[in-house]
Amino acid sequence: MPKIIKDNAIIDSPLAVVQPAEASLACSNSLLPLAFYLAHQTSLAGRADIGVWLQADEAVEDLAPYLSDLTVIALDLPQFGDGRAYSSAALLRQRYGFTGEIRAVGDVRRDQLEQMQRCGFTAYALAPGQDEQACLQGLAGFTFNYQASVDKPQPLFRRRA
Amino acid sequence: MYIYDNYDQTMVDERVNQYRDQTRRFLAGELPAEEFQHLRLRNGLYIQRLAPMLRVAVPYGMLSSKQLRKLAFICRHFDRGYAHFTTRQNVQYNWPKLEEVPDILEALASVQMHAIQTSGNCIRNTTSDQYAGVAVDEIEDSRPWAELIRQWSTFHPEYNWLPRKFKIAVTGAREDRAAVQVHDIGVRLIERDGEVGLQILVGGGLGRTPVLAPVIREFLPKQHLLTYLEAILRVYNRYGRRDNKYKARIKILVRAMTPAVFAAKVEEEWLALKDGPETLTAAEITRVKSFFTRPAYAPTGQGQAVLDAALQENFAFKAWVTRNIKAHQEAGYAIVNVAMKATSIAPGDVTDEQLEVLADLAEKYSFGEVRVTHEQNVTLADVRQDDLYPLWKALCEAELAAPNLGLLTDIICCPGGDYCSLANAKSIPVAEAIQRQFDDLDYLHDLGDLDINISGCMNACGHHHVGNIGILGVDKKGAEFYQVSIGGSANTNAALAQILGPSFARAEIPGVIQQLVDVYLQRREADEQFVETYNRIGIQAYKDRVYA
Ligand code: SF4
């Protein structure tokens, strides 16, 4: 079973990303593509063994009506230098109040984890070749941050002693 | 100037440690080169043609004497005895060793400096008006606002991986000395019905597709600055193009959407953020403003008389005062510009000794502070009029008294092919050849304001599009050529220069400049400046002369 980092620990996760061509209602323990999920939302409602994954250019707004039904949303990073998923995660948390797991999938590397965490990601399926133990250390960011973020909703200037 | 507290210092110190570890992992082979590249860029380290280049952030150009001395120390211990002032008010070192960069950063951190976000596809150092706080045409000091933006943008987790680099400039004066119209975001402090607020411009820039930024918000109450920036950045981060790096700047997005649609999209996003936690509190605005109060001015009352007497006696001093001194808000004080443009020295280059001299003179005559300008010069902002003469004599000794501020020889020039691996052509020798051609000071003073800006390639670090005369290095079948343009301007009435015609070999450039100047001298009316004559008569007269 693939390992992920979740809540500061390395754990096994049964959930695997399913590509659009392979998606079907028969898939279990799967992260289904957004378009498939939206098309079959009524049949999928209540299924605890599935989540949804979004490509970097897909809009989290489309999921807004179904968030209470979901426990896992995965956001894909096609390259580690592609920052769109950070805004998607922040919107899911700050604007739509999603409280389930937000998982980073794709080109997920150690030196970005701390920024992802601040934007509301809680789980990381690492890119091939990443050292999980080292990545756990990568989660530790700076002691202080200036701006408001998901993990520290008040900016420093509202907390500055 | 802004002074770090424990929070600010801890962040910078922790960044040094983080970067030290990233460097160690790279050298140990644990971090692939293509990944380390992005990480080191976010700390200002490029790998250049000859060596790495380290860009150090100078927030809105402000430096203390203590910081200048540390920069001089770094020149001596980690580089070859000189540094370079850039067109974005920063400082660059051309010869650092990759493995020593963490030590350089540690030295910088000891004087509240850093290289954070001076490169890479993230929000860069915020620039401003070099005369902020002292300019006679000021509506409000722009520096507190630039500092608030600096803090908000530093390590912003959502905007560290933008489609492309992102530059913000702020001005609080009537005349725009910060070139806000050619930035990704320009912020203007403006007055409306007795209230000072912010006008927001988005999508200006130079580079391959030069654009003057449209205004997307006419008036924003100041407390909303950060939530509004957040909205702009979020729209850009989500919708900016990532498939083609030449189409990835926000100006392309604004143009593709149209400014009106872009503004509506930002407004929609902003309504969801408005009055949220990033809304500035009165206490925070007061706190940051308290670092930019007026120094303890103590005019003697004799300033003008002492100055007039010295002007009578010394013609060289008079030439310097005429060009390099600007009016100050406080009676009895003056703004002094130190032009770093002596012939045969690359524009903006400064030696460790000159940095030490500047530190000493700032301490003695200007409350221990200087500002770096985007014209690559240095400003001593608070000099008593009676001190101008002794200050000038001291500058003469250090070969820092060139009386050519704003003149043809005060050339803005990028490092070009001598240092930069992206260059099509060299730029420094072109600047020098022009300076040699125009070595008659009386003639230069008669010519008056004339900006020549030189870039070694399309990236336009030398801002050639907004030079009265712009020179761009181009590659013609492997040979270095130069395209000349005319009529650009970076001030309040910003304009993009027009290309004159086919490009020239390097040796032809001084002659071409001479011809353009000759047209001006023959056609100017009354007190017209170079660019005003151009605006009146149009490009054809210049073409006819140069390509005759
Ligand atoms: S304009 Fe081109 S050559 Fe000059 S510094 Fe910028 S990238 Fe290098």
Side-chain angles (χ1 to χ4, degrees):
Chain A
M1 210 180 284
K3 292 199 184 304
I4 63 164
I5 291 180
K6 188 178 177 186
D7 300 331
N8 286 309
I10 301 164
I11 61 158
D12 294 321
S13 166
L15 294 182
V17 169
V18 174
Q19 293 303 322
E22 272 93 57
S24 81
L25 287 174
C27 293
S28 60
N29 288 329
S30 298
L31 294 165
L32 296 169
L34 175 69
F36 183 87
Y37 178 81
L38 293 177
H40 300 91
Q41 201 279 328
T42 22
S43 335
L44 291 165
R47 288 259 309 259
D49 64 328
I50 62 124
V52 186
W53 74 277
L54 277 70
Q55 299 187 31
D57 62 350
E58 291 180 322
V60 289
E61 285 84 344
D62 294 345
L63 272 184
Y66 315 115
L67 291 177
S68 58
D69 233 34
L70 286 163
T71 52
V72 182
I73 298 172
L75 301 173
D76 180 51
L77 286 98
Q79 287 105 29
F80 73 88
D82 187 324
R84 288 174 286 186
Y86 296 76
S87 285
S88 299
L91 282 168
L92 281 172
R93 297 287 187 221
Q94 292 168 342
R95 187 134 330 145
Y96 300 105
F98 181 64
T99 54
E101 172 185 321
I102 301 181
R103 182 182 303 194
V105 298
D107 196 5
V108 181
R109 306 188 190 198
R110 167 181 171 168
D111 291 86
Q112 284 76 59
L113 299 184
E114 160 256 332
Q115 298 142 45
M116 291 184 188
Q117 176 164 269
R118 293 189 57 206
C119 288
F121 285 93
T122 46
Y124 311 90
L126 300 169
Q130 294 288 304
D131 175 336
E132 287 133 354
Q133 285 297 341
C135 285
L136 269 183
Q137 293 170 28
L139 277 173
F142 297 129
T143 312
F144 306 118
N145 312 101
Y146 285 119
Q147 49 298 101
S149 56
V150 172
D151 62 337
K152 292 177 190 164
Q154 297 294 311
L156 181 60
F157 68 76
R158 289 180 186 270
R159 294 178 280 121
R160 210 159 194 144
Chain B
M1 64 194 285
Y2 187 75
I3 305 293
Y4 286 7
D5 63 9
N6 180 48
Y7 293 106
D8 307 290
Q9 188 67 48
T10 303
M11 272 182 248
V12 169
D13 290 343
E14 289 182 355
R15 176 60 175 140
V16 175
N17 293 336
Q18 184 190 52
Y19 186 74
R20 194 181 283 289
D21 185 56
Q22 288 170 343
T23 303
R24 181 195 62 72
R25 283 154 53 210
F26 168 68
L27 293 171
E30 294 168 26
L31 199 53
E34 92 278 358
E35 190 177 345
F36 181 60
Q37 179 193 356
H38 291 274
L39 303 178
R40 66 171 159 73
L41 283 176
R42 274 161 186 71
N43 225 349
L45 188 69
Y46 287 76
I47 304 293
Q48 294 281 45
R49 187 160 282 188
L50 303 168
M53 181 274 279
L54 179 68
R55 184 179 295 146
V56 175
V58 183
Y60 37 92
M62 295 282 298
L63 286 170
S64 67
S65 291
K66 189 175 172 194
Q67 291 172 329
L68 283 166
R69 293 193 181 106
K70 189 60 80 175
L71 292 174
F73 165 86
I74 293 169
C75 284
R76 277 191 296 274
H77 288 265
F78 297 102
D79 209 290
R80 298 189 180 173
Y82 66 97
H84 176 80
F85 292 123
T86 80
T87 55
R88 294 203 73 255
Q89 302 184 297
N90 290 322
V91 170
Q92 283 174 193
Y93 289 102
N94 284 319
W95 308 95
K97 294 194 188 65
L98 186 141
E99 54 282 10
E100 287 182 352
V101 169
D103 297 333
I104 299 176
L105 297 174
E106 196 172 310
L108 289 169
S110 74
V111 292
Q112 310 195 346
M113 292 185 75
H114 59 77
I116 294 162
Q117 289 167 216
T118 52
S119 177
N121 296 338
C122 51
I123 304 172
R124 303 288 187 83
N125 185 29
T126 299
T127 53
S128 184
D129 179 355
Q130 65 263 28
Y131 302 155
V134 294
V136 286
D137 65 340
E138 188 159 86
I139 295 157
E140 188 175 314
D141 192 340
S142 52
R143 293 170 300 170
W145 304 98
E147 175 59 26
L148 285 162
I149 295 172
R150 182 193 75 81
Q151 298 195 13
W152 166 79
S153 61
T154 298
F155 304 132
H156 198 304
E158 197 176 328
Y159 309 122
N160 195 35
W161 303 96
L162 296 170
R164 201 75 177 82
K165 59 188 170 184
F166 203 92
K167 300 174 181 178
I168 305 177
V170 191
T171 178
R174 285 174 218 283
E175 186 186 330
D176 177 9
R177 284 171 291 263
V180 298
Q181 285 174 276
V182 291
H183 279 76
D184 295 290
I185 296 180
V187 179
R188 279 188 186 135
L189 285 147
I190 58 166
E191 204 167 347
R192 200 178 73 176
D193 306 329
E195 185 195 346
V196 175
L198 309 167
Q199 188 183 59
I200 310 287
L201 296 82
V202 180
L206 300 173
R208 251 159 231 262
T209 319
V211 191
L212 298 178
V215 172
I216 69 146
R217 173 96 193 180
E218 284 294 345
F219 192 88
L220 182 74
K222 291 192 278 191
Q223 71 272 24
H224 299 306
L225 171 67
L226 300 183
T227 50
Y228 201 81
L229 295 183
E230 189 92 37
I232 296 169
L233 264 298
R234 189 171 271 171
V235 169
Y236 173 54
N237 190 41
R238 298 187 78 194
Y239 305 111
R241 282 181 67 171
R242 292 174 188 263
D243 58 329
N244 177 342
K245 82 178 236 201
Y246 300 116
K247 303 227 184 293
R249 295 290 289 266
I250 196 172
K251 63 191 171 189
I252 306 288
L253 178 67
V254 173
R255 187 183 265 185
M257 289 174 101
T258 75
V261 172
F262 177 83
K265 191 90 187 153
V266 169
E267 199 72 14
E268 182 194 330
E269 180 63 38
W270 181 57
L271 286 177
L273 297 166
K274 183 172 175 282
D275 301 321
E278 291 282 10
T279 306
L280 287 164
T281 57
E284 175 65 357
I285 294 172
T286 307
R287 182 185 81 87
V288 176
K289 280 190 173 178
S290 72
F291 292 101
F292 301 95
T293 49
R294 296 161 73 79
Y297 293 123
T300 57
Q302 303 300 312
Q304 194 63 48
V306 173
L307 175 60
D308 287 344
L311 287 172
Q312 289 283 325
E313 266 168 40
N314 192 318
F315 181 75
F317 176 60
K318 188 173 176 188
W320 179 77
V321 168
T322 311
R323 285 312 309 184
N324 293 35
I325 304 304
K326 303 289 171 199
H328 197 285
Q329 283 175 9
E330 181 76 19
Y333 277 78
I335 301 171
V336 171
N337 288 288
V338 180
M340 312 297 295
K341 304 292 176 65
T343 303
S344 87
I345 291 166
D349 272 10
V350 60
T351 65
D352 59 333
E353 284 160 19
Q354 288 174 325
L355 287 166
E356 300 274 5
V357 169
L358 288 169
D360 293 347
L361 293 177
E363 222 152 49
K364 192 159 176 196
Y365 295 115
S366 195
F367 298 96
E369 289 175 3
V370 306
R371 294 111 184 265
V372 182
T373 80
H374 81 261
E375 293 90 357
Q376 305 174 283
N377 295 317
V378 169
T379 298
L380 297 173
D382 296 295
V383 180
R384 231 166 43 191
Q385 279 178 320
D386 4 7
D387 288 336
L388 288 173
Y389 188 69
L391 169 60
W392 174 73
K393 294 204 85 163
L395 287 170
C396 287
E397 267 171 49
E399 294 182 34
L400 286 172
N404 64 344
L405 192 89
L407 296 181
L408 180 150
T409 50
D410 180 8
I411 295 171
I412 295 181
C413 177
C414 80
D418 289 295
Y419 296 104
C420 174
S421 52
L422 302 171
N424 287 324
K426 293 191 179 187
S427 50
I428 294 168
V430 179
E432 187 177 343
I434 295 169
Q435 287 169 333
R436 289 201 187 285
Q437 165 99 8
F438 293 89
D439 61 350
D440 177 342
L441 205 55
D442 291 335
Y443 181 80
L444 287 169
H445 279 255
D446 179 50
L447 283 180
D449 290 344
L450 205 175
D451 305 327
I452 296 187
N453 296 4
I454 309 176
S455 305
C457 78
M458 292 281 225
N459 286 320
C461 303
H463 302 173
H464 62 278
H465 302 108
V466 290
N468 300 157
I469 297 174
I471 300 174
L472 165 67
V474 291
D475 181 278
K476 249 194 187 173
K477 302 197 184 89
E480 296 189 352
F481 271 75
Y482 297 87
Q483 188 182 72
V484 174
S485 53
I486 182 168
S489 165
N491 63 23
T492 317
N493 303 310
L496 299 169
Q498 277 193 291
I499 295 166
L500 201 59
S503 51
F504 304 95
R506 192 192 299 165
E508 295 176 280
I509 292 291
V512 171
I513 305 299
Q514 184 68 62
Q515 287 169 319
L516 297 176
V517 163
D518 289 345
V519 173
Y520 161 63
L521 288 176
Q522 283 155 18
R523 303 286 301 271
R524 74 173 162 190
E525 289 178 359
D527 315 327
E528 265 179 358
Q529 297 291 348
F530 180 88
V531 74
E532 293 166 342
T533 303
Y534 168 84
N535 288 339
R536 180 171 54 78
I537 69 175
I539 198 169
Q540 196 58 43
Y542 301 88
K543 284 188 179 202
D544 290 347
R545 178 70 56 95
V546 171
Y547 296 104

